[in-house]
Every structure is written in C-alpha cells, then in structure tokens.
C-alpha cells in the first residue's frame, strides 16, 4: 500500500471536516442562542436516539394532531396539554404534545392534509422566542427557508399544512404577542391554512385564561367542520397511570424523594447545569437589606466555583423552589392522602408520547413538595374538570357553576387568588375529595418552575459568586382573609434565617424542607442554573449609560456599577454612568445605600445617583419625575449614543418611563410627540434602549 504524503493527509482531513459539517449542520462548533439553555435530557433518563422527525413520530404512535409549544414558564406547555386532552376527550382526536426543541421542521411541507398542527407560543422578554422555540422561530421566519421538498416561497411549500395558533403575551411589553404573530404570518406566507383565528392571551390585562377559553370554542367548531369530527360527551381519560408500590419504601435507593434526575439521585451530579439540571450551590452569604421589620429584601451570594457554571453581567439566575410544608399538607389533606404521603408511587404515561413531568418512582409527598405547582392560581377549566369527582351532589353543582360562569368564578375564586386545595376545601370543607384521581392533578397543575432573578453582581468582579436581590412577597388580598405568599422568596428567607442561627425558621408561618431530598441541600445549598440575557453593558466602557431601576429593579444595575467601578480602578476610561433609583424612604428600603458611595469613590464625577423617595414628602415623587428634571442632560447623553436601561415593573413604571422618554426627546429636540415616540422605538430596535422588566 502506498504511503500517504503530507498533502494527502491534509486533503483527507479537509474532506472529513467538510463531511462532518454537512451532516451535523455545525452542531459541534455552532454557538447556540443561549449558551445555558442546552438540553440535559439524558440526566432525566430520556432515551437517546429518539426520532426528531415529527411525521415519523405521529405515524408510529397513530396520531393525527400534534400540539407544539414554546414555553418559558410552563404556561404555554400547560395550555398545549389542555388542548390535547380536550381534543381527545371531546372530539376523538389522536393528540400528542410536542416540545418544539425536540423536533426538526424541514419536513413540515410533507405534513399530511388529514392531520393538524397546533402552535401554542409564548413571547418572552422584548418580543423574543422562548428558549425551546429559538431554532424553530429562526427557521420558519428566516429569509431563505429550505423545506425537505425544496419548494420556494412562491411555490407555497406548506400548502398541505393545516394549523391552529394561540399566543401568550403581555400588553405591557412593546412587542405584544410578537411570537405567534410572526410565526402565523410565516406559515401563511408559505401556503399553510390556518383553522380559526390566531388567538392571543394577555397576561398584562390579567385575562390570559379567559382569552384562551374564549378563543378555543370557535376554534374547535371550525376544526371539527374541517376534519369532520364528531363531538361527544367529554369523559376524563387519564394520561398517566398511578401505581402504589408496596415493594418499595422511601428509603429504597431507587426512589426519588425530590431529586430532579438520575445523576442527582445517585449523588453524582454533573454539568452542564441548565433548565433541566440544576447545580446545588452553596449560599456563602445572606443578609437583610431593608431596615424595617414588616418587609424583607434579601441579598444572597451563591457560590458557583468549580461547577463550570458561568454568567455575564446582566444575566439571570434561576432558583428551583420547593413548596412550603403548609401547602403540601393542605393539598394532601384535601385529597385524603395525608396518611399515604410517604407511599411510593410509579407514574407512567398511558400513551407513548406522554411525558411524565418528574422522575419516578417517588412518593406523594415528594411529587407535591418538589414538582407540582400547587400554590398557583387555579383555572376555571380545571375546576370544571374536577366536578365529576366531587364528594357529594351539592359540591358537584357548585363546581359546575364555577366552571361555566366566568363572572361567578371571578367573584368567588380568581379575585381571591386561591390555589386548588383552597378551592376544594372551601367548596366542601366537611369531606375529603378522595375520588379525585392523582393523575388529573399531575395533568392539571403545571410542573413547578424555577423563578428567575436579575443577577446583582458583576462577572468581571466576582466570576464565581452570583448575587441575588429578592423582595420577599406577602400580599394580602383585599376583602379576603387569603394572603398570597411568594413560593421562592419565602423559601430563600427560610434559608437565610437558618443560616443566621434560627433552628426552626418559619417565615410568614411557612416551613420548608430546606435540607432537601435525603439532606442533599444541607449546609445551606440551593438548586440553581443561569439563563442568558441580552440586557448587557456596552462593550466599550467609555460609552455613557443611563439606568432606571426603582426598588429591586436596581439589582442588575448594582452589577453594572460594580463592573464600571472595577474598570475605573484598573485605569480604563469609563463614560458617564447615571442611575435613577427610587424607593419609599431612604431610612427603610434604600437598597445598597452604603455601597453607592464606595462605587462613587472609584468612578469619581462620572457616576451620579439620582434618588426618588416616594414617601418622604407630601407629594409622591417617582423616577419618572426625576428623569424630566434632568431632561436636558438625558437628551445630551442620548445624542452621545448613551445606552438607556430600565429594570422593574413593566405594567406601570417601565411604561411610564417610556412615555417620559418620548416627551424628553421631542421637547429637547423641538419635535412633535409622534416623532419623539418614533425615536424611542428606533432606540429599542437598535438595542440602545433595553428593558429587563416583569409584571
């Protein structure tokens, strides 16, 4: 055999690399949209090698309706599951729920005409797709979409595709429901046929649930006509089987007691850490930053050293909560499961496409404590579905009335912000709801979701420690004895109290299993992962920035200013850095009051802190007024291409700041108000105006 010379080897290597590039589409070196969002399915025991061809999956499982979801907090996934159940029980559809990131989309042009695809799509942040929908969104809205059949846009390659669309959005954001709107337009452009209207739910107006219910009825009518479906009486058909395991006990090594996946169960937790796989991080510091007794704001330092978890200034940290013991007890008690709380159960999908939302075998207690969103507000549709399992006739009638009368439901339930156990306990306090299948609770309640917090530290200054700033939530419902308590913030407060020597912390009357499953969180640990954000400082530190962050909205700006102070100390030129901050009183809730002076010493005259203390004078003053008072300076900095940042409440503060900024630009530049608004809109589009807001 002839010897290979150097040139031959080079040619072979190039050919090999080209082949890998072609067949993997750059998977091995492509940079994902969010470096922290990659799946860790195998850690959850998922089977490798499962098909990414949705048509193959539907064919092999006998499905004629695929319901795709793009979800960030779990709500879109919940709506997709509800559509699947209703389509199956009312119309006999063979439905499957599909995570958008689990499938390829090039073969949508071969989607059979006798099947239907549904898209339930949440819009995240400022008009962005959710993490699991990024690839789909970029593909379907791209300028040069390439389907498997090779048809161009003019040839309408999706002419066989029948689809349904519903979006979840928030009208306090500028790009309201942009995800479903853009996907809808793209599908229609390529020849697809939409059945029913493209529905839109509005979380900002508090009407998401009713918007969904109002949209789906006419949609079902049109779909039934299109696919010649016969409606039948809806009867509960379980998605999961629940088997009580007499052969296992909570002490058995294979039983999950709250561990998120197999590696955690076996004590071999390893990265990458992400939304499927948390890092159990030590809390190295926790302290109170308010100076009043009736309100709490926590500062925590989370150590991620050695985990390969990294963050950039402006990113978000996700905290995986556990439910409070009081709520776990309430839930198990109302279902008559208190005596069985430690009974081991196996949960299995009765359909090959059904995905069990947590690892099993587990116990009733562990499932409720660590995996089920039992404290969430309850939906009218879910209440209606439970009517058939009421303990007696009167409670059944009440459940049916609540499920069918939206005004009555609003008066009795949604305005009181009751969770499902509170609802059942109030409707029939004398009886246990023992007829309710545990499977319907797993199906009807979302999987408990991580809560995201803007990181309040600089990765340049402390790359291995993540700072969290969190106001502890306790909201008294007007006209009710119900008090809504933040699931995660009270859990963090309990950890802080324990770390400071309280042997039995019970913030706001709540207790938590703070040492975690099998004491794996002992020594003050909390499960976390990091989520990438586009809320970022300019790469050039000499560029001026203006920040508006009242209350805990100041969190990311502590990180921004911390970073700029370090850059100034290192001799770099740092541009003008202005922070507009507001709170109630300087003596009560002025966050990081002492730190700003330290940062100012490093930054010198380039740093300005402008405060608005709303309750220190007869007339309330907010950051919006302070911006107007500094209108000339703000406009001048914008003309110098300063980045403008807002963090905090979306529904009031951020919207009003946007209006004020339009006024400032118009008045300072001698323009009409419409032109001022256009300039602010252009600033958003170019990323000069950035928001990290919530409602």
């Amino acid at each position: 055999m002839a010897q290979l010379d150097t040139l031959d080897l080079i040619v072979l290597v190039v050919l090999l690399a080209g082949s890998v590039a072609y067949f993997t589409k750059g998977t091995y070196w492509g940079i994902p949209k969010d470096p922290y969002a990659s799946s860790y399915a195998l850690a959850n025991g998922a089977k490798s090698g499962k098909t990414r061809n949705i048509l193959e999956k539907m064919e092999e499982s006998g499905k004629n309706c695929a319901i795709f979801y793009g979800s960030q907090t779990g709500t879109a996934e919940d709506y997709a599951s509800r559509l699947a159940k209703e389509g199956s029980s009312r119309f006999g559809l063979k439905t499957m729920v599909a995570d958008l990131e689990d499938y390829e989309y090039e073969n949508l042009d071969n989607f059979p005409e006798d099947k239907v695809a549904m898209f339930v799509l949440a819009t995240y942040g400022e008009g962005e797709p959710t993490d699991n929908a990024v690839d789909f969104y970029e593909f379907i809205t791209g300028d040069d979409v390439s389907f498997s059949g090779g048809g161009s846009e003019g040839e309408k390659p999706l002419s066989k595709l029948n689809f349904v669309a519903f979006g979840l959005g928030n009208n306090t954001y500028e790009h309201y429901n942009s995800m479903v709107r853009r996907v809808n337009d793209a599908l229609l452009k390529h020849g697809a046929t939409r059945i029913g209207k493209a529905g839109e739910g509005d979380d900002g107006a508090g009407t998401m649930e009713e918007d969904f219910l109002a949209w789906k009825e006419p949609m079902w009518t049109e779909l039934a006509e299109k696919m010649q479906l016969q409606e039948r009486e809806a009867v509960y058909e379980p998605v999961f089987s629940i088997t009580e395991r007499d052969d296992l006990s909570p002490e058995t090594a294979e039983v999950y007691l709250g561990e998120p996946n197999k590696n955690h169960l076996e004590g071999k937790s390893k990265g990458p850490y992400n939304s499927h796989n948390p890092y159990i991080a030590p809390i190295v510091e926790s302290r109170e930053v308010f100076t009043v007794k009736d309100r709490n704001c926590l500062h925590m330092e989370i150590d991620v050293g050695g985990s390969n978890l990294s963050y950039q200034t402006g990113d978000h940290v996700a905290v995986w909560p556990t439910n409070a013991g009081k709520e776990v007890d309430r839930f198990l008690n109302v279902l008559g499961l208190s005596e069985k709380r430690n009974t081991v159960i196996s949960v299995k999908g009765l359909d090959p496409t059904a995905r069990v939302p947590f690892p099993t075998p587990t116990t009733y207690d562990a499932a409720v404590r660590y995996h089920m969103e039992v404290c969430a507000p309850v939906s009218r549709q879910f209440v209606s579905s439970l009517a058939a399992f009421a303990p007696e006739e009167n409670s059944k009638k009440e459940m049916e009335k609540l499920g069918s009368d939206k005004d009555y439901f609003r008066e009795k339930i949604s305005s009181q912000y009751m969770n499902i156990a509170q609802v059942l306990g109030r409707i029939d306090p004398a009886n246990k709801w023992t007829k309710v299948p545990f499977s319907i609770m797993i199906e009807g309640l979302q999987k408990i979701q991580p809560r995201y917090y803007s990181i309040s530290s600089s990765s340049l200054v402390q790359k291995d420690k993540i700072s969290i700033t969190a106001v502890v939530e306790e909201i008294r419902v007007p006209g009710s004895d119900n008090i809504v308590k933040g699931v995660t913030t009270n859990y963090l407060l309990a950890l802080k109290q324990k770390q400071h020597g309280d042997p039995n912390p019970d913030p706001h009357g709540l207790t938590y299993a703070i040492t975690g499953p099998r004491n794996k969180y002992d020594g003050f640990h909390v499960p976390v992962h990091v989520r990438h954000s586009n809320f970022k400082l300019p790469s050039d530190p000499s560029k001026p920035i203006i920040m508006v962050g009242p209350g805990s909205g100041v969190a990311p700006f502590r990180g921004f200013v911390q970073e700029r102070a370090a850059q100034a100390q290192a001799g770099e030129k740092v541009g003008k850095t202005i922070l507009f901050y507001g709170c109630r009183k300087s003596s009560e809730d002025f966050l990081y009051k002492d730190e700003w002076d330290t940062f100012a010493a490093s930054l010198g005259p380039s740093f300005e802190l402008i405060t608005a203390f709303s309750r220190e004078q007869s007339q309330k003053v907010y950051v919006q007024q302070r911006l107007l008072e500094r209108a000339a300076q703000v406009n001048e900095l914008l003309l110098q291409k300063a980045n403008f940042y807002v963090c905090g409440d979306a529904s009031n503060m951020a919207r009003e700041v946007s209006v004020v900024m339009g006024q400032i630009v118009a008045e300072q530049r001698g323009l009409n108000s419409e032109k001022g608004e256009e300039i602010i809109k252009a600033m958003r589009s170019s990323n000069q105006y950035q928001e990290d807001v919530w409602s």
Side-chain angles (χ1 to χ4, degrees):
M1 183 177 178
Q3 291 284 345
L4 290 172
D5 62 20
T6 303
L7 181 59
D8 292 330
L9 287 171
I10 291 172
V11 171
L12 282 171
V13 169
V14 170
L15 287 171
L16 177 62
S19 300
V20 171
Y22 179 81
F23 288 110
T24 67
K25 301 179 182 178
T27 298
Y28 293 120
W29 52 81
I31 300 173
K33 200 75 173 177
D34 182 348
Y36 315 118
S38 56
S39 174
Y40 195 60
L42 290 179
N44 290 306
K47 296 176 181 177
S48 61
K50 66 178 182 179
T51 181
R52 289 182 58 80
N53 184 323
I54 185 63
L55 302 184
E56 283 183 4
K57 186 68 174 178
M58 294 179 73
E59 187 66 30
E60 69 185 28
S61 56
K63 304 301 182 185
N64 61 1
C65 175
I67 306 167
F68 298 96
Y69 66 86
S71 186
Q72 196 72 30
T73 63
T75 307
E77 182 179 2
D78 176 54
Y79 281 9
S81 297
R82 287 162 62 178
L83 288 172
K85 285 175 63 65
E86 190 168 358
S88 173
S89 62
R90 279 180 65 184
F91 298 98
L93 280 167
K94 304 301 182 184
T95 58
M96 63 172 287
V97 176
D99 187 333
L100 276 169
E101 70 178 355
D102 286 347
Y103 296 96
E104 304 290 353
Y105 331 107
E106 289 88 347
N107 62 355
L108 284 177
D109 56 336
N110 292 321
F111 208 92
E113 289 182 272
D114 61 346
K115 294 179 170 58
V116 64
M118 297 187 179
F119 296 91
V120 184
L121 306 170
T123 298
Y124 164 61
E126 291 302 308
E128 301 157 29
T130 57
D131 290 343
N132 74 316
V134 169
D135 291 343
F136 167 73
Y137 174 77
E138 292 184 344
F139 172 81
I140 205 69
T141 61
D143 293 331
D144 188 22
V145 182
S146 178
F147 292 102
S148 59
S152 65
E153 178 186 324
E155 295 172 313
K156 305 297 182 185
L158 298 184
S159 58
K160 295 179 182 178
L161 177 65
N162 294 307
F163 77 97
V164 167
F166 183 80
L168 295 82
N170 187 315
N171 71 10
T172 60
Y173 292 81
E174 180 183 1
H175 303 284
Y176 171 62
N177 259 312
S178 63
M179 180 67 174
V180 75
R181 293 177 181 182
R182 291 170 185 167
V183 168
N184 173 69
D185 291 346
L187 292 171
L188 293 175
K189 181 177 73 172
H190 291 294
T193 301
R194 191 186 66 234
I195 298 170
K197 292 182 178 179
E200 295 185 354
D202 187 1
D203 192 44
T207 59
M208 180 74 77
E209 178 68 18
E210 291 303 329
D211 293 338
F212 174 70
L213 296 179
W215 161 81
K216 71 179 180 64
E217 287 308 316
M219 180 277 293
W220 284 129
T221 300
E222 287 196 38
L223 182 63
E225 183 178 342
K226 175 79 174 178
M227 296 186 69
Q228 297 183 332
L229 304 173
Q230 295 296 317
E231 185 171 2
R232 59 192 186 186
E233 184 181 355
V235 178
Y236 173 64
E237 299 171 350
V239 175
F240 305 112
S241 68
I242 312 295
T243 305
E244 295 184 354
R245 301 285 300 273
D246 296 333
D247 58 320
L248 297 175
S249 75
E251 289 73 35
T252 308
E254 69 187 82
V255 175
Y256 291 84
L257 298 182
E259 295 90 349
N261 57 51
K262 190 173 183 181
N263 283 336
H264 282 267
L265 176 69
E266 296 175 348
K268 297 183 294 189
S269 170
K270 60 181 181 180
Y273 297 107
N274 49 43
S275 58
H276 301 274
N277 183 45
Y279 173 60
I280 311 304
I283 301 169
V284 293
E285 179 189 341
S286 60
R287 56 187 168 91
E288 175 66 56
V289 284
F290 281 173
T291 56
V292 288
K293 291 184 177 180
D294 60 338
R295 296 165 63 214
N296 298 95
C297 181
L298 303 174
H299 175 89
M300 284 187 160
E301 298 283 343
I302 309 297
D303 188 351
V304 294
S307 68
N308 282 329
L309 259 185
S310 62
Y311 76 100
Q312 298 171 10
T313 308
D315 280 347
H316 301 141
V317 62
V319 177
W320 293 46
T322 69
N323 284 312
K326 178 180 179 180
E327 295 300 337
V328 175
D329 293 346
R330 190 203 307 267
F331 184 87
L332 293 173
N333 181 59
V334 80
L335 295 181
L337 291 173
S338 294
E339 299 301 316
K340 288 187 170 185
R341 66 188 314 145
N342 294 318
T343 298
V344 176
I345 56 173
S346 286
V347 183
K348 293 183 179 179
L350 293 173
D351 181 279
T353 64
R355 179 185 294 180
V356 180
F358 48 81
T360 72
T362 186
T363 65
Y364 287 114
D365 184 284
V368 176
R369 190 178 301 275
Y370 292 100
H371 300 297
M372 297 168 66
E373 197 78 83
V374 297
C375 294
V378 65
S379 73
R380 182 160 63 91
Q381 188 177 11
F382 187 44
V383 167
S384 178
S385 71
L386 296 178
F389 307 105
E392 46 87 35
E393 193 61 29
N394 287 337
S395 52
K396 179 181 180 181
K397 288 179 180 177
E398 179 69 2
M399 294 285 278
E400 289 173 339
K401 183 177 181 182
L402 288 167
S404 60
D405 187 333
K406 69 177 183 180
D407 294 328
Y408 186 65
F409 182 81
R410 185 185 305 114
E411 176 193 349
K412 296 293 184 181
I413 305 298
S414 60
S415 66
Q416 306 297 304
Y417 297 93
M418 287 192 285
N419 61 45
I420 188 60
Q422 289 173 318
V423 170
L424 299 182
R426 180 166 296 187
I427 289 174
D428 194 337
N431 296 294
K432 306 294 185 192
W433 292 66
T434 55
K435 297 178 185 176
V436 176
F438 196 67
S439 56
I440 202 173
M441 288 298 188
I442 297 174
E443 296 157 23
L445 298 174
Q446 293 182 37
K447 180 180 178 181
I448 196 166
Q449 296 294 316
R451 271 54 167 184
Y452 293 93
Y453 300 91
S454 301
I455 293 175
S456 55
S457 56
S458 160
S459 57
L460 176 69
V461 176
Q462 48 181 76
K463 69 181 183 67
D464 290 334
K465 281 201 302 184
I466 291 175
S467 297
I468 296 176
T469 307
V471 174
V472 180
E473 296 174 274
E474 187 192 33
I475 304 168
R476 186 172 293 277
V477 180
S480 169
D481 57 359
N482 190 29
I483 301 174
V484 179
K485 299 169 183 177
V487 173
T488 307
T489 53
N490 280 281
Y491 167 53
L492 292 176
L493 180 55
L495 281 163
K496 178 255 178 186
Q497 291 174 346
K498 181 76 171 179
Q499 192 168 39
H500 285 256
D502 187 338
N504 300 298
D506 60 341
H508 303 128
L510 303 176
T511 58
Y512 294 85
I514 57 178
T515 60
R518 293 183 170 91
N519 293 320
K520 289 176 180 175
Y521 305 170
D522 201 11
F524 314 112
H525 289 72
V526 65
V528 300
H529 72 269
V530 172
R531 183 176 71 187
H532 174 65
S533 166
N534 294 320
F535 195 72
K536 291 286 180 282
L537 280 166
S539 56
D540 179 4
S542 67
K543 190 174 182 178
I545 62 171
I546 303 167
M547 301 163 285
V548 181
S552 60
V554 80
F557 302 136
R558 177 182 181 266
F560 282 18
V561 177
Q562 187 184 56
E563 182 150 320
R564 290 204 146 192
Q567 290 169 328
Q569 283 185 318
E572 295 187 58
K573 182 182 177 182
V574 174
K576 191 69 177 178
T577 303
I578 300 181
L579 171 61
F580 289 86
Y581 172 72
C583 63
R584 294 181 184 179
K585 293 184 178 180
S586 58
S587 59
E588 292 183 359
D589 52 358
F590 189 172
L591 297 183
Y592 304 113
K593 181 177 182 179
D594 298 331
E595 291 188 17
W596 304 118
D597 290 338
T598 304
F599 294 142
S602 299
L603 288 164
S606 66
F607 177 64
E608 281 189 81
L609 174 64
I610 299 157
T611 56
F613 302 118
S614 62
R615 300 188 184 183
E616 288 195 353
Q617 56 282 310
S618 56
Q619 291 281 79
K620 289 186 177 181
V621 177
Y622 298 107
V623 288
Q624 298 91 300
Q625 285 114 301
R626 295 298 189 225
L627 280 167
L628 285 169
E629 292 168 5
R630 297 283 188 125
Q633 182 187 23
V634 167
N635 180 59
E636 182 59 33
L637 288 171
L638 293 182
L639 291 172
Q640 297 172 27
K641 300 301 180 184
N643 275 13
F644 188 85
Y645 302 92
V646 183
C647 183
D649 167 49
S651 57
N652 296 305
M653 183 277 298
R655 177 176 281 184
E656 290 172 17
V657 165
S658 182
V659 171
V660 165
M661 288 301 295
Q663 293 173 359
I664 288 174
V665 168
E667 292 170 6
Q668 292 295 312
R669 301 181 192 182
L671 307 170
N672 60 40
S673 58
E674 289 79 10
K675 187 62 178 175
E677 291 172 6
E678 286 179 19
I679 291 173
I680 296 301
K681 191 171 184 177
M683 286 174 59
R684 292 178 189 274
S685 298
S686 66
N687 240 20
Q688 186 183 355
Y689 190 122
Q690 299 182 34
E691 291 181 309
D692 182 4
V693 294
W694 57 86
S695 60

